[in-house]
Amino acid sequence: MAKPDIHPEWYPEAKVYCNGQVVLTVGSTKPELHVDVWSGNHPFYTGTQKIIDTEGRVDRFLRKYGMKKDQSAGEGKKK
């Protein structure tokens, strides 16, 4: 079992606050926890996450290093 006088005090009903409101109750070594982000307001969990379109960057990289032919340059040339 746990040795006496070496462990921090355990708070089984510690409250988690976000923007001044109680959002969760968890077990902790502190009676109150103040957080900026939690699963209820994080963009990943709420579905408001912005997806960054990197396709243009990849195409530009491939054209820059000659791994992909530039289609617009090939269309302008005729024999």
Side-chain angles (χ1 to χ4, degrees):
M1 197 76 213
K3 292 183 181 181
D5 301 327
I6 64 166
H7 296 285
E9 187 173 351
W10 180 252
Y11 298 94
E13 298 292 322
K15 302 209 181 321
V16 179
Y17 292 90
C18 184
N19 296 330
Q21 297 178 348
V22 176
V23 292
L24 294 170
T25 302
V26 296
S28 177
T29 57
K30 295 183 178 183
E32 291 183 352
L33 301 168
H34 295 273
V35 296
D36 295 327
V37 179
W38 66 291
S39 62
N41 68 356
H42 191 279
F44 179 79
Y45 296 106
T46 60
T48 59
Q49 181 178 17
K50 294 180 182 178
I51 298 173
I52 299 172
D53 180 24
T54 59
E55 184 177 345
R57 293 180 184 179
V58 172
D59 287 339
R60 189 172 14 146
F61 175 83
L62 293 175
R63 281 194 308 265
K64 181 177 180 179
Y65 292 102
M67 297 175 189
K68 182 176 181 181
K69 293 184 180 182
D70 188 9
Q71 294 176 354
S72 61
E75 293 174 0
K77 295 181 181 179
K78 290 186 179 179
K79 288 187 179 184

